């Protein structure tokens, strides 16, 4: 496993992070989830990403049990706050002080730890003064319950505003967690330059485009049974990639991956890690062998000619409009 610093901070993270969105507590049983966590640890992954909203808090609990007994100093545990996890009361959602503080305490219990290495705002909240949000994070940092602060799916302006307040409050504001892959490049034009200016880096999710960049989805054919595209929770995220035009281009990437000695999934994960502003790529898994396959992308260097060929194959199907940064619904 290779490691990179997160932004301009002193925190190192594994190039491949293990995430449990849509799997733990929902798609797979506990025994299988624990096997995947053990596989991640065995492969040298030290960075584990979750969120309180995943499987309505169950994913955090599963991860907490999976990491129990591990040397805490050898792990980077990352979670998030924003979406509701309670019965839907007026303070069960967003980035108000009450929700942030109470959500952090609940996450600490579920994760069986006394501190969160990276606590992330899961979306930007335009209904709450940013000063209130950042001061709540600052208090958690001062109390030692949170070591570093990050965000997820914030646009360039929001990152810039958050960074300015973080400097005033003297708290480590270090990362953004966006969707990013060969097909979805909306962060490149604005978010990455803003992050570089402000000392943040990216921990990216969906590096294999919800499984599309494994090549398992074929043009003109129904999705394989049991795949993300047939799952009630995951299908809405993958549908945008399931056009025949896209799938035909993805199939043309397979010989390029083979020439590089990689599977298509490994090529996809390695591709996002070529961006110097990306510190880590989050991979999920429903089987341990998927973890072992994806970690082989760590440390891979893709040559410039290959990157040019990839761009040529995907010309016309890549989405790069920065206005498509995910917003809170």
């Amino acid at each position: 496993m290779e490691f990179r610093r997160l932004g301009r901070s002193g925190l190192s993270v594994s190039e491949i992070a293990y995430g449990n969105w849509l799997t733990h507590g929902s798609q797979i049983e506990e025994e299988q989830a624990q096997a995947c966590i053990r596989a991640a640890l065995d492969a040298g992954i030290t960075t584990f990403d979750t969120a309180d909203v995943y499987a309505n808090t169950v994913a955090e609990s599963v991860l907490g049990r999976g990491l129990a007994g591990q040397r805490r100093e050898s792990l980077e545990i990352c979670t998030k706050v924003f979406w509701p996890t309670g019965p839907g009361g007026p303070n069960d959602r967003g980035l108000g002080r009450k929700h942030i503080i109470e959500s952090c305490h609940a996450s600490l219990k579920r994760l069986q730890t006394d501190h969160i290495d990276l606590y992330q705002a899961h979306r930007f909240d335009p209904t709450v003064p940013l000063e209130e949000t950042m001061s709540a994070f600052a208090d958690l940092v001062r109390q030692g319950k949170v070591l570093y602060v990050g965000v997820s799916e914030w646009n360039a302006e929001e990152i810039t505003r958050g960074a300015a307040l973080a400097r005033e409050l003297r708290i480590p504001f270090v990362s953004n967690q966006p969707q990013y892959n060969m097909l979805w490049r909306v962060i490149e034009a604005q978010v990455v330059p803003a992050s570089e200016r402000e000392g943040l880096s990216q921990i990216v999710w969906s590096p294999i485009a919800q499984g599309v960049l494994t090549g398992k989805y074929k043009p003109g054919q129904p999705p394989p049974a049991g795949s993300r595209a047939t799952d009630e929770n995951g299908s809405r995220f993958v549908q945008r990639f399931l056009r025949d035009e896209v799938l035909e281009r993805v199939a043309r990437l397979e010989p390029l991956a083979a020439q590089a000695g990689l599977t298509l999934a490994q090529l996809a994960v390695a591709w996002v890690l070529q961006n110097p502003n990306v510190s880590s790529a989050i991979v999920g898994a429903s089987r341990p062998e998927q973890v072992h396959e994806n970690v082989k992308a760590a440390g891979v260097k893709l040559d410039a000619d290959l990157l040019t060929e990839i761009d040529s194959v995907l010309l016309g199907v890549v989405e790069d409009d920065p206005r498509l940064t995910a917003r809170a619904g």
Side-chain angles (χ1 to χ4, degrees):
M1 182 57 60
E2 302 286 331
F3 297 85
R4 300 184 182 187
R5 285 288 175 87
L6 200 52
R8 287 199 288 260
S9 78
L11 180 65
S12 294
V13 293
S14 50
E15 282 191 344
I16 310 297
Y18 180 80
N20 68 354
W21 174 56
L22 290 179
T23 51
H24 294 188
S26 54
Q27 283 187 342
I28 61 176
E29 298 297 325
E30 172 98 7
E31 183 178 351
Q32 191 76 350
Q34 298 303 338
C36 290
I37 293 172
R38 289 193 298 272
L41 291 165
D42 290 344
I45 290 175
T46 62
T47 305
F48 292 82
D49 179 80
T50 187
D52 57 4
V53 73
Y54 296 168
N56 194 29
T57 74
V58 176
E60 281 189 329
S61 297
V62 172
L63 184 62
R65 289 191 289 272
L67 297 179
Q70 299 295 317
R71 181 176 182 270
R72 183 64 183 87
E73 294 84 353
S74 299
L75 303 172
E76 304 85 50
I77 298 177
C78 316
T79 192
K80 310 179 195 72
V81 56
F82 177 86
W83 300 107
T85 56
N91 292 303
D92 279 343
R93 162 192 176 111
L95 297 180
R97 179 180 182 82
K98 178 176 172 64
H99 184 57
I100 290 174
I101 301 298
E102 292 174 349
S103 294
C104 180
H105 291 161
S107 290
L108 289 169
K109 290 179 182 178
R110 288 189 290 266
L111 290 165
Q112 301 184 38
T113 183
D114 62 358
H115 68 279
I116 295 164
D117 295 285
L118 178 65
Y119 201 33
Q120 302 156 101
H122 210 157
R123 291 293 184 271
F124 186 80
D125 189 348
T127 71
V128 174
L130 188 54
E131 292 81 0
E132 177 179 338
T133 295
M134 297 303 291
S135 66
F137 281 127
D139 285 345
L140 291 171
V141 170
R142 307 267 188 268
Q143 294 164 12
K145 295 172 183 176
V146 169
L147 303 188
Y148 297 86
V149 175
V151 300
S152 178
E153 296 289 3
W154 283 27
N155 66 29
E157 180 202 6
E158 293 157 357
I159 286 170
T160 301
R161 290 174 56 201
L165 283 169
R167 284 192 292 272
E168 289 182 23
L169 294 164
R170 295 184 175 276
I171 57 173
F173 186 62
V174 299
S175 64
N176 178 49
Q177 188 177 124
Q179 180 176 193
Y180 184 54
N181 54 62
M182 291 181 188
L183 299 169
W184 190 262
R185 309 186 190 185
V186 302
I187 64 170
E188 290 182 344
Q190 297 179 3
V191 166
V192 166
S195 297
E196 289 173 337
R197 285 195 306 271
E198 304 297 346
L200 281 71
S201 55
Q202 314 301 314
I203 300 177
V204 304
W205 61 275
S206 193
I208 57 174
Q210 303 297 300
V212 170
L213 290 171
T214 66
K216 68 181 175 182
Y217 298 104
K218 307 297 183 183
Q221 298 181 21
S227 66
R228 181 69 53 83
T230 63
D231 178 76
E232 181 180 355
N233 293 319
S235 61
R236 67 188 179 96
F237 293 96
V238 73
Q239 287 299 327
R240 63 165 63 98
F241 301 124
L242 294 182
R243 308 189 316 272
D244 280 356
E245 180 187 18
V246 174
L247 299 180
E248 288 164 0
R249 303 294 186 91
V250 170
R252 289 167 54 188
L253 293 174
E254 295 200 46
L256 299 182
Q259 290 171 22
L262 303 169
T263 66
L264 185 49
Q266 290 164 355
L267 177 68
V269 176
W271 183 89
V272 301
L273 291 169
Q274 305 311 295
N275 187 321
N277 192 235
V278 172
S279 290
S280 187
I282 300 171
V283 301
S286 56
R287 304 187 309 276
E289 53 266 32
Q290 293 173 326
V291 178
H292 290 299
E293 177 183 350
N294 287 329
V295 296
K296 293 176 183 176
V300 170
K301 304 301 180 187
L302 304 179
D303 64 46
D305 289 342
L306 176 56
L307 294 173
T308 300
E309 286 189 79
I310 291 170
D311 288 345
S312 178
V313 168
L314 298 178
L315 184 65
V317 299
V318 169
E319 188 57 73
D320 58 6
D321 186 348
R323 293 173 297 180
L324 294 176
T325 299
R327 315 312 299 153

